[in-house]
Amino acid sequence: MRRVALNVLYLVPGAVGGSEIYAKELIGALGAARPDVEFVVFCGREAAPSLRAAGWPANVGVHELPVRCANKPLRILAEQTLLPIAARRAGCDLLHSLGTTAPLVAGLPSVVTILDLIYEAHPETFPAAARHGLRAVVGPAARRATRVITISEAVKRDVVRILRVPAERVDPVLLGRGMRAEPDVTPEPELRERLGLGTDRVVLCVSAALVHKNLPRLLEAFAALGEDTSGARLVLVGHAGRDLDELQGRAAALGIADRVVFTGWISAADLEGLYALAACCAYPSLYEGFGMPVLEAMARGVPLVCSDATSLPEVAGDAALLFDPHDTAALAAALRRVLEDPALADDLRVRGLARAAEFTWDACATGVLAVYERVLTG
Protein backbone atom coordinates (compact mmCIF):
# COMPACT_ATOMS: atom_id res chain seq x y z
CA MET A 1 0.00 0.00 0.00
CA ARG A 2 1.88 3.04 -1.28
CA ARG A 3 -0.82 5.51 -2.28
CA VAL A 4 -4.52 5.65 -1.36
CA ALA A 5 -7.11 7.83 -3.11
CA LEU A 6 -9.78 9.25 -0.81
CA ASN A 7 -12.97 10.41 -2.51
CA VAL A 8 -14.72 13.23 -0.64
CA LEU A 9 -16.46 14.84 -3.60
CA TYR A 10 -19.67 14.79 -1.55
CA LEU A 11 -18.15 17.24 0.93
CA VAL A 12 -19.60 20.75 0.63
CA PRO A 13 -18.45 22.56 3.80
CA GLY A 14 -21.28 23.36 6.20
CA ALA A 15 -23.86 21.45 4.15
CA VAL A 16 -23.32 17.74 4.85
CA GLY A 17 -23.48 17.50 8.66
CA GLY A 18 -21.63 14.73 10.46
CA SER A 19 -20.17 13.31 7.27
CA GLU A 20 -17.90 16.37 7.06
CA ILE A 21 -16.57 15.60 10.55
CA TYR A 22 -16.08 11.97 9.51
CA ALA A 23 -13.98 12.91 6.50
CA LYS A 24 -11.80 15.48 8.22
CA GLU A 25 -11.16 13.49 11.39
CA LEU A 26 -10.64 10.12 9.70
CA ILE A 27 -8.27 11.45 7.05
CA GLY A 28 -6.10 13.14 9.66
CA ALA A 29 -6.00 9.96 11.74
CA LEU A 30 -5.15 7.82 8.68
CA GLY A 31 -2.25 10.09 7.79
CA ALA A 32 -0.91 10.02 11.34
CA ALA A 33 -1.27 6.24 11.64
CA ARG A 34 0.53 5.44 8.38
CA PRO A 35 3.24 8.03 7.59
CA ASP A 36 4.64 5.56 5.03
CA VAL A 37 1.50 5.85 2.89
CA GLU A 38 0.57 8.82 0.70
CA PHE A 39 -3.12 9.75 0.92
CA VAL A 40 -4.50 11.75 -2.02
CA VAL A 41 -7.78 13.50 -1.18
CA PHE A 42 -9.99 14.17 -4.21
CA CYS A 43 -12.53 16.95 -3.62
CA GLY A 44 -14.54 19.61 -5.43
CA ARG A 45 -13.95 23.31 -5.65
CA GLU A 46 -16.00 24.26 -2.57
CA ALA A 47 -14.11 22.00 -0.19
CA ALA A 48 -10.55 22.44 -1.45
CA PRO A 49 -9.64 25.62 0.52
CA SER A 50 -10.79 24.30 3.91
CA LEU A 51 -9.28 20.86 3.32
CA ARG A 52 -5.92 22.38 2.41
CA ALA A 53 -6.09 24.28 5.70
CA ALA A 54 -7.14 21.23 7.75
CA GLY A 55 -3.72 20.73 9.33
CA TRP A 56 -3.37 17.14 8.18
CA PRO A 57 0.02 15.34 8.22
CA ALA A 58 2.46 16.00 5.37
CA ASN A 59 1.64 12.66 3.71
CA VAL A 60 -1.93 13.85 3.01
CA GLY A 61 -2.40 15.91 -0.16
CA VAL A 62 -5.48 17.58 -1.63
CA HIS A 63 -6.34 17.24 -5.33
CA GLU A 64 -9.12 19.55 -6.50
CA LEU A 65 -11.32 18.34 -9.37
CA PRO A 66 -12.94 20.99 -11.60
CA VAL A 67 -16.51 20.56 -10.36
CA ARG A 68 -18.91 22.44 -8.10
CA CYS A 69 -20.17 19.64 -5.89
CA ALA A 70 -23.16 21.51 -4.48
CA ASN A 71 -24.72 20.57 -7.83
CA LYS A 72 -25.34 16.91 -7.02
CA PRO A 73 -25.91 15.62 -10.57
CA LEU A 74 -22.62 17.23 -11.65
CA ARG A 75 -20.88 15.77 -8.60
CA ILE A 76 -22.11 12.26 -9.36
CA LEU A 77 -21.07 12.68 -13.01
CA ALA A 78 -17.57 13.77 -11.94
CA GLU A 79 -17.40 10.85 -9.51
CA GLN A 80 -18.22 8.40 -12.27
CA THR A 81 -15.91 9.90 -14.91
CA LEU A 82 -13.20 12.30 -13.71
CA LEU A 83 -12.41 10.64 -10.39
CA PRO A 84 -11.37 7.13 -11.59
CA ILE A 85 -9.13 8.65 -14.27
CA ALA A 86 -7.53 11.08 -11.78
CA ALA A 87 -6.95 8.32 -9.20
CA ARG A 88 -5.25 6.08 -11.76
CA ARG A 89 -3.13 8.94 -13.08
CA ALA A 90 -2.01 9.67 -9.52
CA GLY A 91 -0.72 6.10 -9.27
CA CYS A 92 -3.09 5.14 -6.48
CA ASP A 93 -3.28 1.52 -5.35
CA LEU A 94 -6.77 1.78 -3.83
CA LEU A 95 -9.76 4.13 -3.99
CA HIS A 96 -11.85 4.74 -0.87
CA SER A 97 -15.10 6.69 -1.34
CA LEU A 98 -16.17 8.10 2.05
CA GLY A 99 -19.67 9.37 1.30
CA THR A 100 -22.01 6.46 0.32
CA THR A 101 -21.75 7.01 -3.46
CA ALA A 102 -18.81 5.68 -5.50
CA PRO A 103 -17.75 5.07 -9.11
CA LEU A 104 -19.48 2.14 -10.74
CA VAL A 105 -16.22 1.32 -12.53
CA ALA A 106 -13.24 2.35 -10.40
CA GLY A 107 -10.48 0.75 -12.45
CA LEU A 108 -8.59 -0.16 -9.28
CA PRO A 109 -9.37 -1.92 -5.98
CA SER A 110 -12.10 0.04 -4.22
CA VAL A 111 -13.78 0.56 -0.87
CA VAL A 112 -16.95 2.56 -0.23
CA THR A 113 -18.23 3.77 3.14
CA ILE A 114 -22.04 3.58 3.35
CA LEU A 115 -23.03 6.17 5.94
CA ASP A 116 -26.74 5.31 5.96
CA LEU A 117 -29.63 4.28 3.74
CA ILE A 118 -31.99 7.00 4.91
CA TYR A 119 -33.31 7.41 1.37
CA GLU A 120 -34.70 3.87 1.66
CA ALA A 121 -35.83 4.00 5.29
CA HIS A 122 -37.51 7.42 5.01
CA PRO A 123 -37.86 8.21 1.30
CA GLU A 124 -40.05 11.23 2.08
CA THR A 125 -36.89 12.99 3.31
CA PHE A 126 -35.58 13.19 -0.29
CA PRO A 127 -37.02 14.72 -3.46
CA ALA A 128 -38.03 12.03 -5.96
CA ALA A 129 -35.15 12.81 -8.35
CA ALA A 130 -32.61 12.47 -5.56
CA ARG A 131 -34.10 9.15 -4.41
CA HIS A 132 -34.00 7.71 -7.90
CA GLY A 133 -30.45 8.95 -8.41
CA LEU A 134 -29.23 7.36 -5.19
CA ARG A 135 -30.93 4.07 -5.98
CA ALA A 136 -29.27 4.05 -9.40
CA VAL A 137 -25.79 4.58 -7.95
CA VAL A 138 -25.46 3.39 -4.36
CA GLY A 139 -26.50 -0.26 -4.66
CA PRO A 140 -24.66 -1.06 -7.90
CA ALA A 141 -21.48 0.69 -6.72
CA ALA A 142 -21.59 -1.12 -3.37
CA ARG A 143 -22.04 -4.49 -5.06
CA ARG A 144 -19.10 -3.81 -7.38
CA ALA A 145 -16.77 -2.46 -4.67
CA THR A 146 -14.07 -4.76 -3.37
CA ARG A 147 -15.29 -4.14 0.18
CA VAL A 148 -17.91 -2.00 1.89
CA ILE A 149 -17.42 -0.16 5.19
CA THR A 150 -20.44 0.77 7.30
CA ILE A 151 -20.40 3.07 10.31
CA SER A 152 -22.46 0.72 12.49
CA GLU A 153 -23.76 -2.83 12.64
CA ALA A 154 -27.23 -1.41 12.00
CA VAL A 155 -26.14 0.02 8.64
CA LYS A 156 -24.43 -3.26 7.79
CA ARG A 157 -27.74 -5.07 8.28
CA ASP A 158 -29.41 -2.58 5.92
CA VAL A 159 -26.65 -2.90 3.30
CA VAL A 160 -26.91 -6.69 3.33
CA ARG A 161 -30.72 -6.75 3.30
CA ILE A 162 -31.53 -3.82 1.00
CA LEU A 163 -28.49 -3.52 -1.27
CA ARG A 164 -27.88 -7.29 -1.38
CA VAL A 165 -24.15 -7.02 -0.66
CA PRO A 166 -22.80 -10.30 0.80
CA ALA A 167 -22.28 -9.93 4.55
CA GLU A 168 -18.70 -11.23 4.33
CA ARG A 169 -17.75 -8.20 2.21
CA VAL A 170 -19.12 -5.63 4.67
CA ASP A 171 -17.01 -4.30 7.57
CA PRO A 172 -18.56 -2.15 10.33
CA VAL A 173 -16.10 0.48 11.63
CA LEU A 174 -17.52 2.75 14.30
CA LEU A 175 -16.70 6.46 14.31
CA GLY A 176 -14.90 8.69 16.77
CA ARG A 177 -16.44 11.16 19.18
CA GLY A 178 -17.63 13.66 16.58
CA MET A 179 -17.22 17.39 16.93
CA ARG A 180 -14.24 18.36 19.05
CA ALA A 181 -14.90 20.55 22.09
CA GLU A 182 -14.71 24.23 21.17
CA PRO A 183 -12.24 26.06 23.46
CA ASP A 184 -14.26 29.30 23.24
CA VAL A 185 -17.56 28.88 25.06
CA THR A 186 -20.31 31.49 25.05
CA PRO A 187 -21.01 32.39 28.72
CA GLU A 188 -24.25 31.08 30.18
CA PRO A 189 -25.70 34.54 31.09
CA GLU A 190 -25.21 35.73 27.49
CA LEU A 191 -26.94 32.67 26.04
CA ARG A 192 -29.82 32.81 28.49
CA GLU A 193 -30.39 36.48 27.70
CA ARG A 194 -30.14 36.14 23.92
CA LEU A 195 -32.32 33.02 23.66
CA GLY A 196 -34.83 34.09 26.30
CA LEU A 197 -34.21 31.09 28.53
CA GLY A 198 -34.64 32.87 31.85
CA THR A 199 -33.56 30.67 34.75
CA ASP A 200 -35.30 27.55 33.41
CA ARG A 201 -33.57 24.23 33.00
CA VAL A 202 -32.82 23.40 29.39
CA VAL A 203 -33.68 20.20 27.50
CA LEU A 204 -31.36 20.36 24.51
CA CYS A 205 -31.87 18.60 21.17
CA VAL A 206 -29.24 18.96 18.44
CA SER A 207 -30.97 17.84 15.26
CA ALA A 208 -32.01 19.00 11.82
CA ALA A 209 -35.74 19.51 11.32
CA LEU A 210 -36.20 16.45 9.09
CA VAL A 211 -38.91 13.79 9.12
CA HIS A 212 -36.83 10.94 10.51
CA LYS A 213 -35.54 13.06 13.39
CA ASN A 214 -38.95 12.58 15.06
CA LEU A 215 -39.15 16.11 16.45
CA PRO A 216 -42.98 16.34 16.51
CA ARG A 217 -43.01 13.49 19.02
CA LEU A 218 -40.40 15.29 21.12
CA LEU A 219 -42.66 18.36 21.19
CA GLU A 220 -45.61 16.19 22.23
CA ALA A 221 -43.60 14.52 24.99
CA PHE A 222 -42.33 17.86 26.24
CA ALA A 223 -45.87 19.22 26.32
CA ALA A 224 -46.99 16.16 28.28
CA LEU A 225 -44.57 17.05 31.09
CA GLY A 226 -46.55 20.13 32.02
CA GLU A 227 -45.02 23.38 33.24
CA ASP A 228 -45.21 22.38 36.88
CA THR A 229 -43.29 19.15 36.25
CA SER A 230 -40.59 20.29 33.88
CA GLY A 231 -39.90 23.92 34.74
CA ALA A 232 -37.84 23.70 31.56
CA ARG A 233 -37.33 25.08 28.08
CA LEU A 234 -36.83 22.87 25.05
CA VAL A 235 -34.04 24.19 22.82
CA LEU A 236 -33.83 22.73 19.30
CA VAL A 237 -30.50 23.38 17.57
CA GLY A 238 -29.91 22.59 13.91
CA HIS A 239 -30.77 23.66 10.39
CA ALA A 240 -34.38 24.32 9.59
CA GLY A 241 -34.93 21.52 7.11
CA ARG A 242 -38.25 21.37 5.32
CA ASP A 243 -40.37 20.91 8.43
CA LEU A 244 -39.61 23.98 10.56
CA ASP A 245 -42.92 25.75 9.88
CA GLU A 246 -44.83 22.59 10.74
CA LEU A 247 -42.85 22.18 13.97
CA GLN A 248 -43.47 25.74 15.04
CA GLY A 249 -47.17 25.33 14.32
CA ARG A 250 -47.20 22.09 16.30
CA ALA A 251 -45.58 23.77 19.30
CA ALA A 252 -48.22 26.51 19.17
CA ALA A 253 -51.05 23.97 18.93
CA LEU A 254 -49.66 22.13 21.96
CA GLY A 255 -49.55 25.37 23.94
CA ILE A 256 -45.78 25.30 24.42
CA ALA A 257 -44.63 27.86 21.85
CA ASP A 258 -43.34 30.10 24.64
CA ARG A 259 -41.24 27.24 26.08
CA VAL A 260 -39.63 26.03 22.83
CA VAL A 261 -36.69 27.78 21.19
CA PHE A 262 -35.66 27.03 17.58
CA THR A 263 -32.14 28.40 17.18
CA GLY A 264 -31.29 27.32 13.62
CA TRP A 265 -27.56 27.03 12.95
CA ILE A 266 -25.47 28.50 15.76
CA SER A 267 -21.76 28.99 16.30
CA ALA A 268 -19.60 26.28 17.84
CA ALA A 269 -19.07 28.54 20.86
CA ASP A 270 -22.83 28.90 21.36
CA LEU A 271 -23.37 25.14 21.04
CA GLU A 272 -20.66 24.46 23.64
CA GLY A 273 -22.37 26.97 25.92
CA LEU A 274 -25.71 25.19 25.51
CA TYR A 275 -24.15 21.81 26.26
CA ALA A 276 -22.61 23.33 29.40
CA LEU A 277 -25.91 24.66 30.74
CA ALA A 278 -28.25 21.86 29.59
CA ALA A 279 -30.02 19.76 32.22
CA CYS A 280 -30.20 16.92 29.69
CA CYS A 281 -30.09 16.13 25.97
CA ALA A 282 -32.85 14.37 24.07
CA TYR A 283 -32.30 12.46 20.83
CA PRO A 284 -35.56 10.92 19.56
CA SER A 285 -34.46 9.94 16.02
CA LEU A 286 -36.16 7.10 14.15
CA TYR A 287 -33.12 6.32 12.00
CA GLU A 288 -29.39 7.02 12.27
CA GLY A 289 -26.38 5.58 10.53
CA PHE A 290 -24.38 6.34 13.66
CA GLY A 291 -25.59 9.33 15.69
CA MET A 292 -22.72 11.71 16.40
CA PRO A 293 -24.79 14.08 18.58
CA VAL A 294 -25.24 11.20 21.05
CA LEU A 295 -21.49 10.94 21.59
CA GLU A 296 -21.03 14.70 21.56
CA ALA A 297 -23.52 15.08 24.42
CA MET A 298 -22.02 12.23 26.45
CA ALA A 299 -18.47 13.49 25.90
CA ARG A 300 -19.53 16.79 27.46
CA GLY A 301 -21.10 15.19 30.51
CA VAL A 302 -24.73 15.90 29.60
CA PRO A 303 -27.28 13.29 30.75
CA LEU A 304 -28.82 11.72 27.66
CA VAL A 305 -32.32 10.49 26.83
CA CYS A 306 -32.02 8.54 23.58
CA SER A 307 -34.06 6.56 21.07
CA ASP A 308 -33.43 2.80 20.96
CA ALA A 309 -33.72 2.69 17.15
CA THR A 310 -31.21 1.53 14.52
CA SER A 311 -27.58 2.34 15.45
CA LEU A 312 -28.26 4.39 18.57
CA PRO A 313 -28.10 1.57 21.17
CA GLU A 314 -24.69 0.58 19.69
CA VAL A 315 -23.41 4.07 20.40
CA ALA A 316 -25.14 4.87 23.69
CA GLY A 317 -24.70 1.48 25.36
CA ASP A 318 -25.81 1.66 29.00
CA ALA A 319 -24.88 5.34 29.26
CA ALA A 320 -28.27 6.76 28.22
CA LEU A 321 -31.90 6.34 29.19
CA LEU A 322 -33.29 4.57 26.10
CA PHE A 323 -36.91 4.72 24.93
CA ASP A 324 -39.05 3.54 22.03
CA PRO A 325 -39.12 6.53 19.63
CA HIS A 326 -42.64 5.61 18.48
CA ASP A 327 -43.99 5.93 22.05
CA THR A 328 -44.68 9.51 23.16
CA ALA A 329 -45.47 8.46 26.73
CA ALA A 330 -42.17 6.56 27.00
CA LEU A 331 -40.23 9.61 25.82
CA ALA A 332 -42.07 11.87 28.26
CA ALA A 333 -41.42 9.43 31.11
CA ALA A 334 -37.70 9.30 30.28
CA LEU A 335 -37.46 13.10 30.25
CA ARG A 336 -39.36 13.33 33.52
CA ARG A 337 -37.06 10.78 35.19
CA VAL A 338 -33.90 12.64 34.24
CA LEU A 339 -35.28 16.05 35.17
CA GLU A 340 -36.68 14.91 38.52
CA ASP A 341 -34.00 12.47 39.69
CA PRO A 342 -30.63 14.19 40.31
CA ALA A 343 -28.97 10.87 41.24
CA LEU A 344 -30.01 9.34 37.93
CA ALA A 345 -28.80 12.40 36.03
CA ASP A 346 -25.43 12.23 37.79
CA ASP A 347 -25.12 8.50 37.05
CA LEU A 348 -25.87 9.09 33.35
CA ARG A 349 -23.33 11.91 33.29
CA VAL A 350 -20.58 9.64 34.65
CA ARG A 351 -21.54 6.71 32.40
CA GLY A 352 -21.70 9.00 29.37
CA LEU A 353 -18.21 10.38 29.88
CA ALA A 354 -16.79 6.86 30.19
CA ARG A 355 -18.73 5.58 27.17
CA ALA A 356 -17.71 8.47 24.93
CA ALA A 357 -14.05 7.93 25.80
CA GLU A 358 -14.23 4.51 24.10
CA PHE A 359 -14.82 6.10 20.67
CA THR A 360 -11.70 7.58 19.07
CA TRP A 361 -10.69 8.54 15.55
CA ASP A 362 -7.46 6.59 16.01
CA ALA A 363 -9.51 3.43 16.55
CA CYS A 364 -11.66 4.29 13.53
CA ALA A 365 -8.51 4.74 11.39
CA THR A 366 -7.16 1.40 12.61
CA GLY A 367 -10.36 -0.31 11.51
CA VAL A 368 -10.31 1.36 8.10
CA LEU A 369 -6.64 0.49 7.54
CA ALA A 370 -7.44 -3.15 8.34
CA VAL A 371 -10.02 -3.06 5.54
CA TYR A 372 -7.43 -1.64 3.14
CA GLU A 373 -5.09 -4.51 3.99
CA ARG A 374 -7.85 -7.06 3.32
CA VAL A 375 -8.45 -5.47 -0.08
CA LEU A 376 -4.84 -5.34 -1.13
CA THR A 377 -3.79 -8.74 0.17
CA GLY A 378 -6.83 -10.56 -1.16
Side-chain angles (χ1 to χ4, degrees):
M1 180 166 49
R2 295 177 294 104
R3 188 170 293 166
V4 174
L6 298 171
N7 167 20
V8 295
L9 285 172
Y10 73 89
L11 203 169
V12 178
V16 294
S19 59
E20 179 175 359
I21 297 171
Y22 172 58
K24 289 182 174 179
E25 294 288 352
L26 174 60
I27 292 169
L30 288 171
R34 287 296 301 269
D36 59 317
V37 175
E38 183 179 353
F39 295 91
V40 185
V41 179
F42 291 91
C43 66
R45 285 177 170 160
E46 300 97 328
S50 63
L51 296 185
R52 289 191 176 109
W56 288 328
N59 59 323
V60 179
V62 175
H63 185 105
E64 178 182 345
L65 294 181
V67 59
R68 292 279 175 186
C69 293
N71 184 319
K72 291 183 180 179
L74 281 182
R75 186 260 288 181
I76 294 294
L77 181 61
E79 192 170 64
Q80 300 301 320
T81 58
L82 299 181
L83 174 65
I85 294 169
R88 291 196 300 272
R89 283 179 177 168
C92 294
D93 304 293
L94 179 149
L95 170 62
H96 179 189
S97 297
L98 277 69
T100 299
T101 62
L104 292 170
V105 180
L108 69 165
S110 66
V111 175
V112 58
T113 294
I114 306 289
L115 301 169
D116 61 54
L117 293 181
I118 191 69
Y119 68 90
E120 293 286 2
H122 290 276
E124 68 277 14
T125 304
F126 288 77
R131 284 199 311 275
H132 295 318
L134 287 166
R135 284 171 177 158
V137 172
V138 175
R143 288 188 290 274
R144 294 183 185 187
T146 315
R147 296 198 75 81
V148 174
I149 291 173
T150 62
I151 59 174
S152 64
E153 290 281 356
V155 177
K156 175 176 179 174
R157 290 193 293 270
D158 285 349
V159 165
V160 172
R161 177 176 59 87
I162 297 171
L163 302 186
R164 305 187 310 281
V165 178
E168 61 271 17
R169 288 205 291 112
V170 184
D171 302 291
V173 180
L174 299 180
L175 307 187
R177 278 194 290 275
M179 188 180 73
R180 293 174 184 266
E182 171 65 35
D184 297 321
V185 181
T186 303
E188 180 174 340
E190 179 183 335
L191 278 174
R192 287 189 174 278
E193 169 99 19
R194 189 183 343 133
L195 298 178
L197 303 177
T199 59
D200 290 342
R201 291 177 295 172
V202 167
V203 176
L204 179 63
C205 178
V206 180
S207 172
L210 298 171
V211 172
H212 67 284
K213 298 298 186 178
N214 204 26
L215 299 182
R217 184 162 277 111
L218 177 58
L219 292 174
E220 293 164 10
F222 187 75
L225 295 177
E227 290 187 55
D228 57 332
T229 303
S230 67
R233 303 274 177 138
L234 176 62
V235 177
L236 296 167
V237 174
H239 75 72
R242 291 183 291 167
D243 302 306
L244 179 60
D245 290 344
E246 180 183 338
L247 289 170
Q248 290 174 326
R250 186 67 183 139
L254 290 166
I256 57 172
D258 60 338
R259 294 197 289 129
V260 180
V261 178
F262 297 90
T263 69
W265 281 123
I266 60 176
S267 70
D270 283 359
L271 182 55
E272 290 293 347
L274 285 171
Y275 276 128
L277 65 83
C280 69
C281 275
Y283 205 64
S285 183
L286 297 168
Y287 183 101
E288 294 295 324
F290 183 75
M292 278 188 182
V294 168
L295 278 186
E296 289 169 359
M298 293 193 298
R300 289 158 177 79
V302 186
L304 179 67
V305 172
C306 181
S307 160
D308 66 1
T310 60
S311 64
L312 296 173
E314 291 179 57
V315 178
D318 66 351
L321 204 57
L322 299 179
F323 61 88
D324 177 351
H326 299 281
D327 187 338
T328 303
L331 172 50
L335 288 171
R336 183 176 287 109
R337 285 185 63 195
V338 174
L339 290 170
E340 295 184 350
D341 187 341
L344 173 62
D346 286 342
D347 181 56
L348 291 174
R349 186 175 291 110
V350 171
R351 288 175 182 268
L353 287 166
R355 178 69 176 173
E358 298 175 14
F359 293 81
T360 70
W361 290 109
D362 289 343
C364 181
T366 297
V368 169
L369 288 167
V371 176
Y372 294 173
E373 292 294 342
R374 288 190 198 104
V375 169
L376 294 173
T377 59

